[in-house]
Amino acid sequence: MKKNKRIILSTLFCLLPIIYGLYFYNKLPDVIPRHFDFRGNVNGYINKNIFIFVLPILLAIINIFLCYIISFDPKNKDKNTKIINIMLFILPVLFNVIFILILFTTLGYGFNKSFANIFIGIFFITIGNYLPKFSQNYTIGIRIPWTMNDEENWYKTHRFASKLYIILGILFIFSKFIQNDDIRFYITIMLFSIFILPLVYSYIIYKNKK
């Protein structure tokens, strides 16, 4: 019962942007910015109705699917409820913040690049902080053969990955103090690193134990 309540609440949070959109609907143009470059300039647009109605509904559908996978993962049974709750709400919260930032930009308040980067930085730091706390499961974390078959490998790999996520988060937070061309390079390298290096690190642990 508690699982279903969490899923319903998480899904409703995904639909919350529809209320924001309806409130400002008549003030919004027919097309809305959907993508920004590193300097905060708009380089992509989307139809207003798709942005306000279709995207939240699509996210809610995806979120229901993800919530059920996370909540009913047999390896998540009786695990830390706090961590599961964070994973259930991290995507809806991120979507709401992005939606509000784009909405305010469309209404002429300007795109606050510093705030956006700080939020993204906090997002990555939060993930990095909780990665080592995930026990082995089928839905969350670095799920490759070497981590799924060895609990020690899982733990060490996630501790290693958590440091990369935290470094990336710090880069985003302090990006306003770094020249744009430099920060693009550093962030690109770190984004590549958080996907590739943990896999390599996990494989090295696996080979050393053979």
mmCIF file of all heavy atoms in Angstrom, residues 85-133:
data_model
loop_
_atom_site.group_PDB
_atom_site.id
_atom_site.type_symbol
_atom_site.label_atom_id
_atom_site.label_comp_id
_atom_site.label_asym_id
_atom_site.label_seq_id
_atom_site.Cartn_x
_atom_site.Cartn_y
_atom_site.Cartn_z
ATOM 1 N N ASN A 85 12.885 6.271 -1.877
ATOM 2 C CA ASN A 85 12.078 7.482 -2.058
ATOM 3 C C ASN A 85 12.831 8.541 -2.865
ATOM 4 O O ASN A 85 12.243 9.231 -3.704
ATOM 5 C CB ASN A 85 11.681 8.056 -0.698
ATOM 6 C CG ASN A 85 10.583 7.247 -0.033
ATOM 7 O OD1 ASN A 85 9.859 6.523 -0.695
ATOM 8 N ND2 ASN A 85 10.462 7.361 1.272
ATOM 9 N N ILE A 86 14.116 8.679 -2.596
ATOM 10 C CA ILE A 86 14.924 9.649 -3.337
ATOM 11 C C ILE A 86 14.930 9.308 -4.816
ATOM 12 O O ILE A 86 14.759 10.179 -5.678
ATOM 13 C CB ILE A 86 16.359 9.688 -2.779
ATOM 14 C CG1 ILE A 86 16.364 10.372 -1.402
ATOM 15 C CG2 ILE A 86 17.302 10.435 -3.729
ATOM 16 C CD1 ILE A 86 17.686 10.296 -0.686
ATOM 17 N N MET A 87 15.091 8.022 -5.138
ATOM 18 C CA MET A 87 15.117 7.608 -6.535
ATOM 19 C C MET A 87 13.750 7.793 -7.201
ATOM 20 O O MET A 87 13.668 8.087 -8.393
ATOM 21 C CB MET A 87 15.566 6.147 -6.635
ATOM 22 C CG MET A 87 16.987 5.910 -6.165
ATOM 23 S SD MET A 87 18.199 7.066 -6.872
ATOM 24 C CE MET A 87 18.037 6.751 -8.622
ATOM 25 N N LEU A 88 12.673 7.637 -6.427
ATOM 26 C CA LEU A 88 11.326 7.804 -6.988
ATOM 27 C C LEU A 88 11.022 9.264 -7.310
ATOM 28 O O LEU A 88 10.236 9.549 -8.221
ATOM 29 C CB LEU A 88 10.271 7.269 -6.014
ATOM 30 C CG LEU A 88 10.227 5.755 -5.784
ATOM 31 C CD1 LEU A 88 9.124 5.409 -4.794
ATOM 32 C CD2 LEU A 88 10.004 5.018 -7.094
ATOM 33 N N PHE A 89 11.646 10.194 -6.581
ATOM 34 C CA PHE A 89 11.285 11.606 -6.744
ATOM 35 C C PHE A 89 12.361 12.444 -7.428
ATOM 36 O O PHE A 89 12.102 13.601 -7.758
ATOM 37 C CB PHE A 89 10.957 12.218 -5.371
ATOM 38 C CG PHE A 89 9.613 11.795 -4.845
ATOM 39 C CD1 PHE A 89 9.499 10.711 -3.994
ATOM 40 C CD2 PHE A 89 8.462 12.457 -5.225
ATOM 41 C CE1 PHE A 89 8.265 10.296 -3.518
ATOM 42 C CE2 PHE A 89 7.215 12.056 -4.756
ATOM 43 C CZ PHE A 89 7.121 10.969 -3.898
ATOM 44 N N ILE A 90 13.525 11.877 -7.657
ATOM 45 C CA ILE A 90 14.607 12.692 -8.213
ATOM 46 C C ILE A 90 14.299 13.150 -9.634
ATOM 47 O O ILE A 90 14.563 14.297 -10.008
ATOM 48 C CB ILE A 90 15.950 11.928 -8.140
ATOM 49 C CG1 ILE A 90 17.113 12.902 -8.328
ATOM 50 C CG2 ILE A 90 16.006 10.781 -9.146
ATOM 51 C CD1 ILE A 90 18.454 12.313 -7.942
ATOM 52 N N LEU A 91 13.690 12.278 -10.461
ATOM 53 C CA LEU A 91 13.332 12.663 -11.827
ATOM 54 C C LEU A 91 12.193 13.686 -11.860
ATOM 55 O O LEU A 91 12.303 14.705 -12.563
ATOM 56 C CB LEU A 91 12.959 11.421 -12.636
ATOM 57 C CG LEU A 91 12.567 11.664 -14.098
ATOM 58 C CD1 LEU A 91 13.731 12.276 -14.868
ATOM 59 C CD2 LEU A 91 12.142 10.359 -14.776
ATOM 60 N N PRO A 92 11.096 13.486 -11.107
ATOM 61 C CA PRO A 92 10.035 14.501 -11.089
ATOM 62 C C PRO A 92 10.508 15.875 -10.594
ATOM 63 O O PRO A 92 10.110 16.904 -11.146
ATOM 64 C CB PRO A 92 8.994 13.912 -10.132
ATOM 65 C CG PRO A 92 9.196 12.441 -10.223
ATOM 66 C CD PRO A 92 10.679 12.265 -10.377
ATOM 67 N N VAL A 93 11.349 15.892 -9.569
ATOM 68 C CA VAL A 93 11.856 17.168 -9.050
ATOM 69 C C VAL A 93 12.709 17.860 -10.102
ATOM 70 O O VAL A 93 12.578 19.069 -10.347
ATOM 71 C CB VAL A 93 12.662 16.953 -7.753
ATOM 72 C CG1 VAL A 93 13.420 18.223 -7.372
ATOM 73 C CG2 VAL A 93 11.745 16.535 -6.617
ATOM 74 N N LEU A 94 13.593 17.102 -10.750
ATOM 75 C CA LEU A 94 14.441 17.665 -11.798
ATOM 76 C C LEU A 94 13.595 18.240 -12.927
ATOM 77 O O LEU A 94 13.847 19.354 -13.407
ATOM 78 C CB LEU A 94 15.379 16.581 -12.336
ATOM 79 C CG LEU A 94 16.325 16.997 -13.466
ATOM 80 C CD1 LEU A 94 17.288 18.069 -12.981
ATOM 81 C CD2 LEU A 94 17.083 15.799 -14.008
ATOM 82 N N PHE A 95 12.565 17.525 -13.345
ATOM 83 C CA PHE A 95 11.699 17.986 -14.423
ATOM 84 C C PHE A 95 10.976 19.269 -14.033
ATOM 85 O O PHE A 95 10.862 20.194 -14.844
ATOM 86 C CB PHE A 95 10.689 16.898 -14.780
ATOM 87 C CG PHE A 95 9.728 17.300 -15.865
ATOM 88 C CD1 PHE A 95 10.162 17.503 -17.162
ATOM 89 C CD2 PHE A 95 8.380 17.488 -15.584
ATOM 90 C CE1 PHE A 95 9.280 17.872 -18.169
ATOM 91 C CE2 PHE A 95 7.492 17.861 -16.578
ATOM 92 C CZ PHE A 95 7.939 18.053 -17.870
ATOM 93 N N ASN A 96 10.485 19.341 -12.802
ATOM 94 C CA ASN A 96 9.779 20.546 -12.351
ATOM 95 C C ASN A 96 10.686 21.766 -12.353
ATOM 96 O O ASN A 96 10.273 22.854 -12.777
ATOM 97 C CB ASN A 96 9.203 20.319 -10.949
ATOM 98 C CG ASN A 96 7.813 19.724 -10.959
ATOM 99 O OD1 ASN A 96 6.815 20.428 -10.920
ATOM 100 N ND2 ASN A 96 7.739 18.400 -11.039
ATOM 101 N N VAL A 97 11.905 21.612 -11.888
ATOM 102 C CA VAL A 97 12.836 22.742 -11.862
ATOM 103 C C VAL A 97 13.159 23.201 -13.279
ATOM 104 O O VAL A 97 13.158 24.410 -13.572
ATOM 105 C CB VAL A 97 14.124 22.369 -11.104
ATOM 106 C CG1 VAL A 97 15.172 23.471 -11.241
ATOM 107 C CG2 VAL A 97 13.827 22.126 -9.631
ATOM 108 N N ILE A 98 13.439 22.262 -14.173
ATOM 109 C CA ILE A 98 13.735 22.613 -15.563
ATOM 110 C C ILE A 98 12.530 23.298 -16.212
ATOM 111 O O ILE A 98 12.676 24.300 -16.915
ATOM 112 C CB ILE A 98 14.130 21.355 -16.360
ATOM 113 C CG1 ILE A 98 15.471 20.821 -15.861
ATOM 114 C CG2 ILE A 98 14.197 21.667 -17.855
ATOM 115 C CD1 ILE A 98 15.876 19.505 -16.484
ATOM 116 N N PHE A 99 11.336 22.776 -15.961
ATOM 117 C CA PHE A 99 10.111 23.351 -16.517
ATOM 118 C C PHE A 99 9.941 24.800 -16.052
ATOM 119 O O PHE A 99 9.636 25.690 -16.847
ATOM 120 C CB PHE A 99 8.907 22.521 -16.073
ATOM 121 C CG PHE A 99 7.624 22.874 -16.780
ATOM 122 C CD1 PHE A 99 7.200 22.136 -17.869
ATOM 123 C CD2 PHE A 99 6.842 23.936 -16.353
ATOM 124 C CE1 PHE A 99 6.016 22.456 -18.527
ATOM 125 C CE2 PHE A 99 5.664 24.269 -16.997
ATOM 126 C CZ PHE A 99 5.249 23.529 -18.091
ATOM 127 N N ILE A 100 10.147 25.047 -14.753
ATOM 128 C CA ILE A 100 9.990 26.398 -14.206
ATOM 129 C C ILE A 100 11.023 27.349 -14.797
ATOM 130 O O ILE A 100 10.708 28.494 -15.141
ATOM 131 C CB ILE A 100 10.084 26.366 -12.668
ATOM 132 C CG1 ILE A 100 8.860 25.650 -12.085
ATOM 133 C CG2 ILE A 100 10.186 27.779 -12.092
ATOM 134 C CD1 ILE A 100 8.954 25.382 -10.597
ATOM 135 N N LEU A 101 12.284 26.897 -14.928
ATOM 136 C CA LEU A 101 13.332 27.737 -15.511
ATOM 137 C C LEU A 101 12.988 28.127 -16.950
ATOM 138 O O LEU A 101 13.130 29.291 -17.341
ATOM 139 C CB LEU A 101 14.669 26.998 -15.480
ATOM 140 C CG LEU A 101 15.400 26.915 -14.148
ATOM 141 C CD1 LEU A 101 16.626 26.027 -14.263
ATOM 142 C CD2 LEU A 101 15.809 28.313 -13.673
ATOM 143 N N ILE A 102 12.525 27.155 -17.735
ATOM 144 C CA ILE A 102 12.151 27.443 -19.126
ATOM 145 C C ILE A 102 10.938 28.360 -19.179
ATOM 146 O O ILE A 102 10.871 29.285 -19.999
ATOM 147 C CB ILE A 102 11.874 26.123 -19.885
ATOM 148 C CG1 ILE A 102 13.166 25.327 -20.032
ATOM 149 C CG2 ILE A 102 11.271 26.413 -21.259
ATOM 150 C CD1 ILE A 102 12.985 23.972 -20.695
ATOM 151 N N LEU A 103 9.980 28.144 -18.283
ATOM 152 C CA LEU A 103 8.781 28.974 -18.233
ATOM 153 C C LEU A 103 9.137 30.424 -17.927
ATOM 154 O O LEU A 103 8.655 31.355 -18.598
ATOM 155 C CB LEU A 103 7.825 28.427 -17.171
ATOM 156 C CG LEU A 103 6.374 28.903 -17.203
ATOM 157 C CD1 LEU A 103 5.713 28.487 -18.499
ATOM 158 C CD2 LEU A 103 5.617 28.339 -16.017
ATOM 159 N N PHE A 104 9.987 30.632 -16.940
ATOM 160 C CA PHE A 104 10.396 31.987 -16.580
ATOM 161 C C PHE A 104 11.186 32.651 -17.708
ATOM 162 O O PHE A 104 11.050 33.858 -17.944
ATOM 163 C CB PHE A 104 11.236 31.958 -15.302
ATOM 164 C CG PHE A 104 10.413 31.864 -14.044
ATOM 165 C CD1 PHE A 104 9.061 31.565 -14.093
ATOM 166 C CD2 PHE A 104 10.989 32.074 -12.804
ATOM 167 C CE1 PHE A 104 8.300 31.474 -12.950
ATOM 168 C CE2 PHE A 104 10.234 31.992 -11.642
ATOM 169 C CZ PHE A 104 8.890 31.693 -11.719
ATOM 170 N N THR A 105 12.015 31.877 -18.387
ATOM 171 C CA THR A 105 12.769 32.416 -19.523
ATOM 172 C C THR A 105 11.825 32.871 -20.620
ATOM 173 O O THR A 105 11.988 33.940 -21.205
ATOM 174 C CB THR A 105 13.726 31.350 -20.078
ATOM 175 O OG1 THR A 105 14.621 30.942 -19.047
ATOM 176 C CG2 THR A 105 14.524 31.888 -21.251
ATOM 177 N N THR A 106 10.800 32.079 -20.908
ATOM 178 C CA THR A 106 9.817 32.404 -21.944
ATOM 179 C C THR A 106 9.045 33.668 -21.586
ATOM 180 O O THR A 106 8.684 34.464 -22.464
ATOM 181 C CB THR A 106 8.836 31.235 -22.126
ATOM 182 O OG1 THR A 106 9.571 30.038 -22.374
ATOM 183 C CG2 THR A 106 7.903 31.497 -23.293
ATOM 184 N N LEU A 107 8.795 33.856 -20.291
ATOM 185 C CA LEU A 107 8.034 35.027 -19.845
ATOM 186 C C LEU A 107 8.892 36.283 -19.765
ATOM 187 O O LEU A 107 8.407 37.351 -19.392
ATOM 188 C CB LEU A 107 7.405 34.737 -18.479
ATOM 189 C CG LEU A 107 6.292 33.680 -18.475
ATOM 190 C CD1 LEU A 107 5.915 33.307 -17.050
ATOM 191 C CD2 LEU A 107 5.076 34.191 -19.239
ATOM 192 N N GLY A 108 10.173 36.149 -20.095
ATOM 193 C CA GLY A 108 11.037 37.329 -20.166
ATOM 194 C C GLY A 108 11.861 37.604 -18.937
ATOM 195 O O GLY A 108 12.486 38.665 -18.833
ATOM 196 N N TYR A 109 11.910 36.661 -17.996
ATOM 197 C CA TYR A 109 12.712 36.875 -16.792
ATOM 198 C C TYR A 109 14.182 36.536 -17.006
ATOM 199 O O TYR A 109 15.011 36.765 -16.144
ATOM 200 C CB TYR A 109 12.162 36.035 -15.633
ATOM 201 C CG TYR A 109 10.784 36.457 -15.205
ATOM 202 C CD1 TYR A 109 9.666 35.701 -15.556
ATOM 203 C CD2 TYR A 109 10.587 37.630 -14.490
ATOM 204 C CE1 TYR A 109 8.393 36.089 -15.179
ATOM 205 C CE2 TYR A 109 9.311 38.034 -14.104
ATOM 206 C CZ TYR A 109 8.223 37.251 -14.448
ATOM 207 O OH TYR A 109 6.958 37.642 -14.072
ATOM 208 N N GLY A 110 14.495 35.949 -18.167
ATOM 209 C CA GLY A 110 15.879 35.616 -18.473
ATOM 210 C C GLY A 110 16.250 34.241 -17.951
ATOM 211 O O GLY A 110 15.669 33.734 -17.004
ATOM 212 N N PHE A 111 17.241 33.661 -18.596
ATOM 213 C CA PHE A 111 17.706 32.331 -18.206
ATOM 214 C C PHE A 111 18.841 32.487 -17.203
ATOM 215 O O PHE A 111 19.914 32.981 -17.536
ATOM 216 C CB PHE A 111 18.190 31.564 -19.436
ATOM 217 C CG PHE A 111 18.688 30.180 -19.124
ATOM 218 C CD1 PHE A 111 17.794 29.172 -18.803
ATOM 219 C CD2 PHE A 111 20.043 29.893 -19.151
ATOM 220 C CE1 PHE A 111 18.238 27.892 -18.532
ATOM 221 C CE2 PHE A 111 20.489 28.629 -18.880
ATOM 222 C CZ PHE A 111 19.593 27.627 -18.562
ATOM 223 N N ASN A 112 18.593 32.085 -15.970
ATOM 224 C CA ASN A 112 19.600 32.202 -14.925
ATOM 225 C C ASN A 112 20.542 31.005 -15.008
ATOM 226 O O ASN A 112 20.308 29.955 -14.397
ATOM 227 C CB ASN A 112 18.931 32.265 -13.544
ATOM 228 C CG ASN A 112 19.910 32.694 -12.464
ATOM 229 O OD1 ASN A 112 21.100 32.373 -12.522
ATOM 230 N ND2 ASN A 112 19.416 33.430 -11.490
ATOM 231 N N LYS A 113 21.621 31.168 -15.780
ATOM 232 C CA LYS A 113 22.561 30.073 -16.003
ATOM 233 C C LYS A 113 23.211 29.631 -14.699
ATOM 234 O O LYS A 113 23.428 28.442 -14.476
ATOM 235 C CB LYS A 113 23.624 30.513 -17.001
ATOM 236 C CG LYS A 113 24.679 29.469 -17.310
ATOM 237 C CD LYS A 113 25.599 29.985 -18.403
ATOM 238 C CE LYS A 113 26.710 28.972 -18.686
ATOM 239 N NZ LYS A 113 27.671 28.873 -17.595
ATOM 240 N N SER A 114 23.516 30.599 -13.836
ATOM 241 C CA SER A 114 24.175 30.258 -12.574
ATOM 242 C C SER A 114 23.287 29.373 -11.716
ATOM 243 O O SER A 114 23.743 28.370 -11.163
ATOM 244 C CB SER A 114 24.536 31.536 -11.796
ATOM 245 O OG SER A 114 25.466 32.306 -12.516
ATOM 246 N N PHE A 115 21.994 29.724 -11.619
ATOM 247 C CA PHE A 115 21.074 28.913 -10.819
ATOM 248 C C PHE A 115 20.916 27.526 -11.423
ATOM 249 O O PHE A 115 20.904 26.525 -10.708
ATOM 250 C CB PHE A 115 19.709 29.598 -10.742
ATOM 251 C CG PHE A 115 18.679 28.781 -10.006
ATOM 252 C CD1 PHE A 115 18.659 28.748 -8.626
ATOM 253 C CD2 PHE A 115 17.739 28.018 -10.707
ATOM 254 C CE1 PHE A 115 17.722 27.974 -7.944
ATOM 255 C CE2 PHE A 115 16.803 27.253 -10.044
ATOM 256 C CZ PHE A 115 16.796 27.235 -8.651
ATOM 257 N N ALA A 116 20.797 27.465 -12.752
ATOM 258 C CA ALA A 116 20.634 26.173 -13.423
ATOM 259 C C ALA A 116 21.840 25.282 -13.170
ATOM 260 O O ALA A 116 21.697 24.091 -12.857
ATOM 261 C CB ALA A 116 20.438 26.386 -14.921
ATOM 262 N N ASN A 117 23.034 25.848 -13.287
ATOM 263 C CA ASN A 117 24.244 25.060 -13.071
ATOM 264 C C ASN A 117 24.380 24.622 -11.622
ATOM 265 O O ASN A 117 24.847 23.509 -11.346
ATOM 266 C CB ASN A 117 25.473 25.860 -13.488
ATOM 267 C CG ASN A 117 25.617 25.947 -14.992
ATOM 268 O OD1 ASN A 117 24.910 25.271 -15.728
ATOM 269 N ND2 ASN A 117 26.516 26.779 -15.462
ATOM 270 N N ILE A 118 23.980 25.482 -10.692
ATOM 271 C CA ILE A 118 24.027 25.115 -9.273
ATOM 272 C C ILE A 118 23.080 23.950 -9.005
ATOM 273 O O ILE A 118 23.422 22.994 -8.307
ATOM 274 C CB ILE A 118 23.675 26.317 -8.381
ATOM 275 C CG1 ILE A 118 24.818 27.333 -8.412
ATOM 276 C CG2 ILE A 118 23.400 25.875 -6.934
ATOM 277 C CD1 ILE A 118 24.496 28.645 -7.722
ATOM 278 N N PHE A 119 21.885 24.016 -9.580
ATOM 279 C CA PHE A 119 20.918 22.940 -9.371
ATOM 280 C C PHE A 119 21.412 21.627 -9.973
ATOM 281 O O PHE A 119 21.319 20.569 -9.344
ATOM 282 C CB PHE A 119 19.565 23.308 -9.975
ATOM 283 C CG PHE A 119 18.545 22.216 -9.834
ATOM 284 C CD1 PHE A 119 17.878 22.018 -8.639
ATOM 285 C CD2 PHE A 119 18.284 21.351 -10.894
ATOM 286 C CE1 PHE A 119 16.957 20.991 -8.496
ATOM 287 C CE2 PHE A 119 17.361 20.323 -10.764
ATOM 288 C CZ PHE A 119 16.699 20.148 -9.553
ATOM 289 N N ILE A 120 21.949 21.700 -11.200
ATOM 290 C CA ILE A 120 22.482 20.494 -11.832
ATOM 291 C C ILE A 120 23.638 19.934 -11.009
ATOM 292 O O ILE A 120 23.769 18.723 -10.835
ATOM 293 C CB ILE A 120 22.938 20.797 -13.277
ATOM 294 C CG1 ILE A 120 21.723 21.155 -14.144
ATOM 295 C CG2 ILE A 120 23.670 19.601 -13.876
ATOM 296 C CD1 ILE A 120 22.091 21.645 -15.523
ATOM 297 N N GLY A 121 24.470 20.835 -10.490
ATOM 298 C CA GLY A 121 25.582 20.407 -9.647
ATOM 299 C C GLY A 121 25.097 19.686 -8.404
ATOM 300 O O GLY A 121 25.636 18.634 -8.028
ATOM 301 N N ILE A 122 24.077 20.242 -7.752
ATOM 302 C CA ILE A 122 23.511 19.602 -6.552
ATOM 303 C C ILE A 122 22.916 18.247 -6.919
ATOM 304 O O ILE A 122 23.024 17.277 -6.154
ATOM 305 C CB ILE A 122 22.439 20.515 -5.917
ATOM 306 C CG1 ILE A 122 23.100 21.780 -5.344
ATOM 307 C CG2 ILE A 122 21.669 19.775 -4.816
ATOM 308 C CD1 ILE A 122 22.128 22.815 -4.853
ATOM 309 N N PHE A 123 22.312 18.174 -8.094
ATOM 310 C CA PHE A 123 21.727 16.918 -8.571
ATOM 311 C C PHE A 123 22.794 15.824 -8.663
ATOM 312 O O PHE A 123 22.618 14.709 -8.147
ATOM 313 C CB PHE A 123 21.081 17.154 -9.940
ATOM 314 C CG PHE A 123 20.618 15.914 -10.643
ATOM 315 C CD1 PHE A 123 19.460 15.276 -10.256
ATOM 316 C CD2 PHE A 123 21.350 15.397 -11.702
ATOM 317 C CE1 PHE A 123 19.026 14.127 -10.906
ATOM 318 C CE2 PHE A 123 20.926 14.246 -12.360
ATOM 319 C CZ PHE A 123 19.765 13.617 -11.955
ATOM 320 N N PHE A 124 23.929 16.130 -9.294
ATOM 321 C CA PHE A 124 24.998 15.145 -9.435
ATOM 322 C C PHE A 124 25.645 14.818 -8.090
ATOM 323 O O PHE A 124 25.990 13.657 -7.827
ATOM 324 C CB PHE A 124 26.051 15.641 -10.424
ATOM 325 C CG PHE A 124 25.691 15.399 -11.856
ATOM 326 C CD1 PHE A 124 25.337 16.451 -12.683
ATOM 327 C CD2 PHE A 124 25.710 14.121 -12.383
ATOM 328 C CE1 PHE A 124 24.997 16.229 -14.011
ATOM 329 C CE2 PHE A 124 25.367 13.882 -13.706
ATOM 330 C CZ PHE A 124 25.016 14.943 -14.533
ATOM 331 N N ILE A 125 25.804 15.815 -7.237
ATOM 332 C CA ILE A 125 26.389 15.568 -5.914
ATOM 333 C C ILE A 125 25.468 14.668 -5.088
ATOM 334 O O ILE A 125 25.934 13.782 -4.357
ATOM 335 C CB ILE A 125 26.660 16.901 -5.185
ATOM 336 C CG1 ILE A 125 27.815 17.637 -5.868
ATOM 337 C CG2 ILE A 125 26.990 16.657 -3.713
ATOM 338 C CD1 ILE A 125 28.063 19.027 -5.338
ATOM 339 N N THR A 126 24.162 14.882 -5.201
ATOM 340 C CA THR A 126 23.199 14.041 -4.477
ATOM 341 C C THR A 126 23.296 12.591 -4.933
ATOM 342 O O THR A 126 23.331 11.669 -4.114
ATOM 343 C CB THR A 126 21.764 14.556 -4.702
ATOM 344 O OG1 THR A 126 21.667 15.910 -4.224
ATOM 345 C CG2 THR A 126 20.758 13.688 -3.945
ATOM 346 N N ILE A 127 23.350 12.390 -6.251
ATOM 347 C CA ILE A 127 23.501 11.034 -6.770
ATOM 348 C C ILE A 127 24.801 10.422 -6.274
ATOM 349 O O ILE A 127 24.846 9.269 -5.835
ATOM 350 C CB ILE A 127 23.470 11.034 -8.313
ATOM 351 C CG1 ILE A 127 22.079 11.439 -8.813
ATOM 352 C CG2 ILE A 127 23.840 9.653 -8.861
ATOM 353 C CD1 ILE A 127 21.977 11.524 -10.313
ATOM 354 N N GLY A 128 25.881 11.215 -6.344
ATOM 355 C CA GLY A 128 27.175 10.726 -5.889
ATOM 356 C C GLY A 128 27.174 10.352 -4.421
ATOM 357 O O GLY A 128 27.805 9.367 -4.013
ATOM 358 N N ASN A 129 26.456 11.108 -3.624
ATOM 359 C CA ASN A 129 26.401 10.839 -2.188
ATOM 360 C C ASN A 129 25.680 9.533 -1.883
ATOM 361 O O ASN A 129 26.042 8.818 -0.933
ATOM 362 C CB ASN A 129 25.699 12.006 -1.482
ATOM 363 C CG ASN A 129 25.632 11.801 0.010
ATOM 364 O OD1 ASN A 129 26.642 11.633 0.684
ATOM 365 N ND2 ASN A 129 24.428 11.807 0.554
ATOM 366 N N TYR A 130 24.661 9.208 -2.682
ATOM 367 C CA TYR A 130 23.852 8.024 -2.383
ATOM 368 C C TYR A 130 24.277 6.773 -3.138
ATOM 369 O O TYR A 130 23.857 5.663 -2.778
ATOM 370 C CB TYR A 130 22.374 8.316 -2.663
ATOM 371 C CG TYR A 130 21.729 9.100 -1.556
ATOM 372 C CD1 TYR A 130 21.578 10.484 -1.645
ATOM 373 C CD2 TYR A 130 21.281 8.471 -0.393
ATOM 374 C CE1 TYR A 130 20.997 11.208 -0.613
ATOM 375 C CE2 TYR A 130 20.704 9.188 0.633
ATOM 376 C CZ TYR A 130 20.562 10.558 0.514
ATOM 377 O OH TYR A 130 19.989 11.275 1.543
ATOM 378 N N LEU A 131 25.107 6.916 -4.167
ATOM 379 C CA LEU A 131 25.534 5.748 -4.933
ATOM 380 C C LEU A 131 26.135 4.640 -4.062
ATOM 381 O O LEU A 131 25.779 3.464 -4.220
ATOM 382 C CB LEU A 131 26.539 6.163 -6.012
ATOM 383 C CG LEU A 131 25.997 6.473 -7.405
ATOM 384 C CD1 LEU A 131 27.124 6.884 -8.332
ATOM 385 C CD2 LEU A 131 25.242 5.291 -7.982
ATOM 386 N N PRO A 132 27.050 4.958 -3.129
ATOM 387 C CA PRO A 132 27.651 3.881 -2.322
ATOM 388 C C PRO A 132 26.651 3.217 -1.373
ATOM 389 O O PRO A 132 26.958 2.164 -0.806
ATOM 390 C CB PRO A 132 28.755 4.602 -1.531
ATOM 391 C CG PRO A 132 28.987 5.881 -2.242
ATOM 392 C CD PRO A 132 27.667 6.261 -2.829
ATOM 393 N N LYS A 133 25.491 3.843 -1.172
ATOM 394 C CA LYS A 133 24.509 3.306 -0.225
ATOM 395 C C LYS A 133 23.533 2.334 -0.882
ATOM 396 O O LYS A 133 22.731 1.706 -0.193
ATOM 397 C CB LYS A 133 23.744 4.459 0.430
ATOM 398 C CG LYS A 133 24.667 5.424 1.184
ATOM 399 C CD LYS A 133 23.898 6.605 1.756
ATOM 400 C CE LYS A 133 24.859 7.588 2.439
ATOM 401 N NZ LYS A 133 24.155 8.752 2.990
#
